[in-house]
Amino acid sequence: MQLNKGENLWETVLQQLDETAKRINLESWIHKKLRKSKRELTVSIPVKMDNGSVEVFTGYRVQHNITRGPAKGGIRYSPEVTLDEIKALAMLMTWKCAVVNIPYGGAKGGVACNPFKMSAEELERLTRRYTSEILPVIGPEKDIPAPDISTDSQTMAWIMDTYSIDKGYSVPGVVTGKPIAIGGSEGRSEATGRGVVYTLLNTLKHLNLIEGKKVIVQGYGKVGSVAANLLFKEGYRIIGVGEIDGAVYNADGLDIGRLNKHRKKSGSIVKFKEADSITNKELLQLKCDILIPAALENQITKDNASRIKAKIVVEAANGPTTPKADKILKEKGVFVVPDILANAGGVIVSYFEWVQGLQSYFWSEREVNLKLRDIITKAFYKVLEISLKKKTSMREAAYSLAVNKVAEATRIRGLYP
Ligand code: NAD
């Protein structure tokens, strides 16, 4: 990942925290404390590859803050993983859990590897060894990983199994996003995309935008594909979808059902006959009402922000908009639903999974979805209220709410010793 100042995610989140601290008059000792991670663990992960050679990968687990509860955050596998990126994402998790008011702190983990070039067996060995290296800092009451980019419920099952073998008994609560058969929650796999849709529906209601129906989704993975499918079912026109290997566009709307079939058959969305092939750069700049970046960070930058034509941007990905781009979007009057609110559905249902596991009492999917809608909608209106009252953007309001919540807990607990 590029480390340009101001475009690097760690620099971005620090800048956002500094601006929030100023806005809410945060005591300097709490501000200083929140600028640092609580714990940063770097591990080396030797893995026997299928060809008999040994590769040594680098992995991280960072806990930014645990003042409001155990640390919580996903694990990603990507060649672009760096300690700075993981630190930034851990801090974002602290704010995300606070903004939706669930009793967790923030964490994130990652391994710098190319999962697309590894076999399932190699990925299993990598996951198990990574788990054993970070084992001292994770646990149901300490830090609870979940899926993120290029990790899934199978990855979580391997982590749970490795952790449980070490303990000598089954510990389903060590991860969320598990398969249902070993204590996963109904609705968890769709939760982030569903949460994105709920925040979008709340936004459209607030803006009274009944016409706002043309949607572009960048990233057709666990989050983007669910959001696109749910919106398509609701009658929204998905005119463009992008993946790492290219994007597809149809001004009249893509038939998402047929796009899914094409992808299943060919392994990719590109070359879908009912659409034009375009680049990801072009995708972001298409005329549309709603843009959902659901791929990676730093996708909307100072270089393309002025050409974004959407009225609403719902940040399904973490950190898709750089601060400079954010200012440009604000000046253009684009309504941006910030990542820490828009994509909180995943962590909310992760929380439900953890609660259900601790009680050994499981809820129906309907119950999960209703509770998710309730929590994310409450958070949306709380953020909106602050934004209208303080005349700030939704992002500034969300940060004010989140940092104030963590600061309040820090103040009450005090400083040890
Ligand atoms: P994923 O790996 O399932 O999907 C990511 C998708 O982005 C892939 O389909 C990939 O092809 C695409 N992509 C990658 N690089 C791209 C590029 N340069 N241009 C266009 N597309 C590109 O991951 P995911 O879980 O869907 O996560 C997507 C984003 O949402 C990430 O920022 C992640 O941190 C965030 N997020 C995920 C969850 C969750 O529950 N999975 C929760 C909160 C936030």
Side-chain angles (χ1 to χ4, degrees):
M1 193 167 124
Q2 284 198 316
L3 302 182
N4 300 338
K5 202 169 182 331
E7 302 283 302
N8 165 258
L9 193 60
W10 176 239
E11 299 284 346
T12 302
V13 297
L14 277 184
Q15 191 179 329
Q16 278 163 345
L17 171 61
D18 294 346
E19 286 169 6
T20 309
K22 217 166 161 184
R23 212 169 40 244
I24 64 171
N25 275 327
L26 186 65
E27 298 96 306
S28 130
W29 73 272
I30 298 180
H31 181 195
K32 276 196 272 185
K33 187 170 181 280
L34 294 177
R35 286 187 110 251
K36 304 234 175 190
S37 327
K38 176 176 178 62
R39 197 174 274 135
E40 294 168 6
L41 179 61
T42 301
V43 294
S44 61
I45 312 160
V47 178
K48 207 176 273 170
M49 308 304 279
D50 291 345
N51 66 7
S53 69
V54 172
E55 288 283 336
V56 184
F57 299 93
T58 302
Y60 309 96
R61 185 71 189 170
V62 174
Q63 294 161 359
H64 170 254
N65 190 280
I66 56 167
T67 308
R68 298 180 60 258
K72 188 87 190 81
I75 288 173
R76 60 173 56 182
Y77 291 168
S78 154
E80 279 153 20
V81 161
T82 62
L83 179 58
D84 259 7
E85 180 193 54
I86 299 298
K87 278 162 63 182
L89 293 166
M91 189 190 279
L92 282 176
M93 284 306 297
T94 303
W95 311 142
K96 196 178 296 181
C97 295
V99 89
V100 294
N101 203 18
I102 55 174
Y104 285 137
K108 201 81 180 187
V111 178
C113 65
N114 189 343
F116 298 108
K117 292 201 169 145
M118 294 172 72
S119 69
E121 291 73 21
E122 287 169 341
L123 284 170
E124 176 172 357
R125 290 194 288 275
L126 173 91
T127 302
R128 289 186 181 277
R129 184 61 190 253
Y130 168 65
T131 306
S132 104
E133 297 296 340
I134 64 164
L135 207 132
V137 302
I138 61 170
E141 284 157 357
K142 288 190 199 171
D143 179 355
I144 309 132
D148 193 69
I149 294 180
S150 294
T151 57
D152 56 17
S153 57
Q154 177 61 72
T155 321
M156 296 306 113
W158 291 328
I159 297 177
M160 181 247 183
D161 187 64
T162 307
Y163 185 91
S164 299
I165 286 168
D166 179 82
K167 297 293 165 199
Y169 51 89
S170 282
V171 192
V174 66
V175 284
T176 59
K178 295 179 291 291
I180 305 264
I182 54 168
S185 175
E186 296 288 349
R188 171 60 185 88
S189 51
E190 300 86 32
T192 308
R194 192 176 285 280
V196 166
V197 171
Y198 289 148
T199 53
L200 172 61
L201 298 182
N202 288 325
T203 303
L204 291 170
K205 202 167 155 194
H206 161 64
L207 297 176
N208 208 6
L209 258 185
I210 301 133
E211 295 296 314
K213 297 228 169 192
K214 270 198 237 160
V215 186
I216 286 179
V217 182
Q218 185 208 31
Y220 204 64
K222 292 187 289 292
V223 180
S225 70
V226 170
N229 278 273
L230 287 174
L231 287 170
F232 178 67
K233 274 190 205 138
E234 290 280 326
Y236 288 76
R237 237 192 304 163
I238 316 293
I239 60 165
V241 169
E243 278 265 74
I244 193 160
D245 51 352
V248 289
Y249 169 65
N250 182 332
D252 297 327
L254 299 158
D255 184 314
I256 293 294
R258 286 207 288 272
L259 180 68
N260 291 340
K261 273 191 199 139
H262 165 77
R263 184 174 181 240
K264 204 167 168 198
K265 220 165 122 188
S266 71
S268 165
I269 58 162
V270 297
K271 295 193 184 139
F272 181 45
K273 282 207 181 82
E274 298 171 30
D276 296 331
S277 287
I278 56 169
T279 65
N280 269 294
K281 196 173 162 197
E282 289 166 332
L283 177 81
L284 292 178
Q285 299 171 15
L286 285 174
K287 196 166 183 307
C288 67
D289 300 295
I290 300 152
L291 172 62
I292 304 181
L296 298 175
E297 54 268 15
N298 294 345
Q299 295 302 299
I300 306 176
T301 67
K302 64 176 174 25
D303 300 326
N304 63 2
S306 60
R307 289 192 291 277
I308 300 282
K309 298 184 187 69
K311 299 183 189 83
I312 299 168
V313 173
V314 184
E315 294 185 336
N318 285 313
T321 314
T322 67
K324 281 182 189 156
D326 204 29
K327 287 202 175 84
I328 298 170
L329 295 183
K330 198 176 169 185
E331 278 161 23
K332 279 165 60 96
V334 180
F335 190 93
V336 180
V337 187
D339 47 7
I340 57 169
L341 174 62
N343 69 28
V347 77
I348 293 170
V349 177
S350 272
Y351 166 58
F352 295 163
E353 180 177 331
W354 182 71
V355 168
Q356 292 170 82
L358 292 177
Q359 296 175 337
S360 294
Y361 178 69
F362 291 87
W363 313 336
S364 68
E365 186 177 352
R366 188 173 173 273
E367 217 172 333
V368 168
N369 291 346
L370 286 174
K371 285 186 162 80
L372 164 62
R373 193 178 67 187
D374 185 42
I375 291 189
I376 209 157
T377 299
K378 259 189 206 136
F380 176 88
Y381 282 104
K382 187 80 204 157
V383 171
L384 183 64
E385 187 191 319
I386 297 170
S387 143
L388 295 174
K389 199 164 143 196
K390 301 278 181 193
K391 297 194 169 42
T392 63
S393 67
M394 287 291 277
R395 188 186 314 281
E396 288 160 340
Y399 269 82
S400 297
L401 176 64
V403 177
N404 260 326
K405 271 227 149 65
V406 179
E408 184 191 5
T410 311
R411 223 173 277 130
I412 293 168
R413 285 184 58 163
L415 200 59
Y416 174 84

